[in-house]
Amino acid sequence: MSQAPGAPLKAVGIDFLRKHNSCLHHTSDYSNSSLIVRRGQEFQLKLTFNRELKDQDKITLQLRIGEKPKQSSGTLLSLNARSGQEVNRWCATIRQANGKECLVVVTSPADAIVGKYQLCVKTGPNVYQPEKSFIYVLFNPWCKADSVFMPDDAERTEYVLLDTGYIYVGSPKNIYERPWNFGQFEENVLDCCIYLLDKSQLKPTVRKDPAVISRSMSALVNANDDKGVLFGNWSGRYSGGTSPLAWTGSAPILQQYYKTKKSVNFGQCWVFSGVLTTVMRSLGIPARSVSNFASAHDTEENLKVDIYLNERGEKVEDLTSDSIWNFHVWNETWMKRPDLPKGFDGWQAIDATPQELSQGIFQCGPCPVNAIKNGEVYLPYDSKFLFAEVNADRVFWLVKDVDGESQLVKLREETKVIGKSISTKAVGKNTREDITVQYKFPEDSLEERKAVETACSYLNSNNLGSCEVTPPLEPLKANLQLGMEGETTLWPGNPIDLNIVVKNESAGTWTVDLVASCQLESYIGKVEASLATIKQTIQTEGKPAIQIPLKVATESYLKALMAVEDELLVKVNIIAEIRETDEKLTEELTLTFQYPPLKVEMPETAKVNEDFKCAFIFKNTLSIPLENCKLHVEGLGIFRMETFDQGDVAPGNIFKSKIICAPRRTGTKKIVAKLNSTQVKGITVEKLITITE
């Protein structure tokens, strides 16, 4: 029914032009029915009224965000579409009017408050609020004026739009990738991020600042202090939750948290990092997961991590809270830092793994990576802790029993073993990129020494223990070297058969008291079992090399391997004392278990909304049965994470699991599968499929 020309003007409909806007704003991948735009860039709305528009008709767009919106805090915006007048640098203008319809262009400032705005249209006393009236405003790495602007298109695609990737794990000499589905566009993930933003209770004035939001999210992704997303657990026992090794991506974790509003059990560092990458990318802040190998956890801030060995060569854990993790995964976010002196824009390190308190809660960063490299540890936030993670020295001590008293003997101080092969996924490629040079100068270079001296000067100024630069070691009189030979690839179920090797390059004659231990450890250096020790006095007698066998029977380690739900590795510590020179040598070696492969069979291509079959095949080529096998699979845009119980798989047996998939979105999609059992953990496979119209 047509309204009389003199009737009061009322808005009767809003078309958010989602397809048009989301394409221009790079937001069409979000599984969300509301309009999602990026700040600092115009978007269009089509308004429909009860009658034709006249020149004198007043049209005001009102946007509100937060619980108690106020004009003074910029959380209540009334935009006059007739005058196009700016309000807090927002503005709305009528681009064209045609009969009862008009096209309105809305522009937000490049530092707009990030979050979920509610829209209504006011025409005089009449207010129209559509059923779905929300507009999400995100950070904009495509906008030069936004502090998260990233100039390179390939980098924007990788660090904002890519929803799959890899997280690198292992040990310095055995790095491998874990596929990870970031899933920042999956259903409810953005809503969960907005919920976290609301939960952070940040003032509106800082809810636009990527540095403040990054810090806040590093706290909220862990459950400590604030009932955040994920509960950390390194106990090796995960009843009452999901083992950290079972997760294949972030979306199921954030979806569960958003649904229940309760912390999800359980995470370890790569899970915290994967989830934090997802949260940052979902909000529009470029982010990546970064792995540091041989990562120091220096609790005393003296740039030294002490390792204590007893007289059998076994690690003694209760003498220190310092530790060295085989790897540790944190994050980097990309932004300008106007709050800091010049030279600290770009990548900023943040970390959601709860390790040390910062300003009273478990949060870490953002700290400019450039500040870590140059030793400028006075800069906020948490630069001292992050500097130590990549630069601390490792000090070995022997704990001797002298007349019932413990006596410490310094064995060795190593300055080049911490902070190795710092890694992230390469841009546009499924390969590892080594970014160590972004964190530290080459070892022994003048710049490196200067960076360490700079850091030490600030550590000392706070009375944080001694931080002297270690003088170079004098050459050993007895030119002996410790090492290992034998089968360094360990298969669960096979005995461990190694040879400790003492190399005598100078062909001198020495008497050597040698002890060696073999222990099962988790990736954070926690000892789960002592497997074997040897103690022997050897005479070198001019021989170039001497071998001492170190054997561990399968039954000696299998029970310990089965007792925890973590992936364990074998650490061998060797101590050699040369009687004639009173010199002490020590060596630490890491061995990892290998597993049979998990295979996936599926077509190379499929059509959207048409079923295809995907099969997962596993043959147990080990000599032991694998009990309680669980297969976890996930395919973004195809199916949510599912778990299949495969029971026990005897040696030589095969299981085949099939799943029918109905892809919901076009493009290249990835299916990730992970197999865990009582004996073997973390066997992973991935496969790509191209989904077409």
Side-chain angles (χ1 to χ4, degrees), residues 18 78 127 162 184 188 196 211 221 234 288 346 352 359 411 437 510 513 521 541 550 621 660:
R18 265 187 73 229
S78 292
V127 179
L162 204 68
Q184 65 267 36
N188 288 336
L196 290 172
V221 163
W234 284 265
R288 60 189 187 182
Q359 295 178 323
L411 292 170
V437 70
W510 310 104
D513 293 321
E521 286 189 7
E541 295 172 341
L550 176 64
T621 56
I660 305 289

Side-chain angles (χ1 to χ4, degrees), residues 443-458:
E443 299 281 5
D444 293 332
S445 64
L446 282 171
E447 296 95 334
E448 188 237 7
R449 264 186 232 125
K450 185 168 180 262
V452 173
E453 281 169 16
T454 303
C456 287
S457 71
Y458 289 106

